[in-house]
Amino acid sequence: MKIMAVNAGSSSIKFQLLEMPQEEVIASGVMERIGLEDGIFTIKYDGKKEETHPVLKDHAVGVELLLKSLIEKGILKDLNEIVGVGHRVVQGGEYFKDSCLVDETVVNKIADLADLAPLHNPAHIVGIKAFQKALPNVPQVVVFDTVFHQTMPEEAYMYATPYEWYTKYGIRKYGAHGTSHQYVSQRCAELLNKPLKDTKIIVCHLGNGASLCAVEGGKCKDTSMGLTPLEGIPMGTRSGILDPTVVSYICQKENKTAAEVVNILNKKSGYLGMSGRTNDARDVTAGMEEGDHRCKLTFDVQAKRIVDYIAAYYVYMGGCDAICFTAGMGENVIHLRKNVLDRLAVLGVKLDEERNNVRGKEQEITADDSKIRAFVIPTNEEVMIARDVVRVAKLA
Ligand code: ADP
């Protein structure tokens, strides 16, 4: 059976068509620059990669073009072969405790939660509606990034702010990248050859957005992202945690509004702001290799903060079996993993430099006598979405 996993952003739709239950990718790709004159449609199938430049007026046009292409390229004979569609949704608040089938109430609730994910939730709804229009008889399932974090204990998700902020406005930590943290921790338990319920795992999802998660017995116990994806460690363009007074101070010094300063913390900080180069780890690595102090400092600040969380989670879980690195940087930036793991020598972590010399491939990277094992585990959010479609729409 064929399942479409969809990740719709404000100007893009990423997709993967999977054959289930084999979990084989039949086709994947992305439509970018939706709403602009010069759209980009990239599709990979049968070992081929094709790129075209259609005008993608809106998401509905993009989805129609995608489905038409699947037929034209012979990837599908008939659209009826798609028996379920799964949509990634960034923010499910406290309302959504599991993935679920889409109906009007669900769409309205996702819209209500848009305050907490203004860039993401509205875009997801546009994506859902576009697929509903194109495939009206196919079940659509929403899979939330926040659901995995709903098991956090109260003491981990509450902020020490006036309690009424929580009851009135839902101010608390919700976390992000839950689908990735869940996939990687489950895969890690397999590699450890231990039942998931007996494992204590720390997952470092280090992409352009980045978060850490303490996963005990397969359940999230704490995570570094908060009310929004700004909290936690420094990221591509986001600052991560800081003293909130910085906001009012810069407002006053630069005559800006709080919203403008928060926008800078989201879009002009992190790797980009610190290094003065770009948000891409490859550019910052090149700078570091040229001897640029700010580029080296960028990695050091991030590695230090990553270790702060790992140490906290180690204590909070009462130990740790494994540390996993995933997503664009976690899978590819060798020197960053070394920078992090070398700082953990005090916990008996021993990096194996030869094993660590790996990109984008599943591999153990610590020495055999390391007290905590570390792995690179490429994430696979799409497969988790497809599995949830099969489970929730009862397609098995
Ligand atoms: P997101 O999904 O949050 O946008 P990704 O997980 O795709 O991010 O990670 C993107 C980041 O990963 C890039 O900004 C880049 O810094 C880093 N990255 C990806 N591939 C490589 C590579 N081969 N070498 C070094 N860094 C890489």
Side-chain angles (χ1 to χ4, degrees), residues 14 177 205-209 279-282 327-329 332-333 359:
K14 288 189 197 143
H177 306 125
H205 176 110
L206 310 177
N208 208 11
N279 62 316
D280 195 301
R282 284 162 283 208
M329 290 176 50
N332 293 297
V333 186
R359 287 201 169 92

Side-chain angles (χ1 to χ4, degrees), residues 125-161:
I125 294 174
V126 175
I128 291 167
K129 291 197 167 154
F131 272 92
Q132 278 179 325
K133 189 169 162 225
L135 301 170
N137 302 317
V138 175
Q140 316 259 337
V141 171
V142 276
V143 179
F144 298 90
D145 275 8
T146 44
V147 159
F148 184 62
H149 302 302
Q150 280 292 301
T151 53
M152 265 192 282
E154 200 178 16
E155 63 179 19
Y157 70 68
M158 285 300 289
Y159 293 119
T161 47

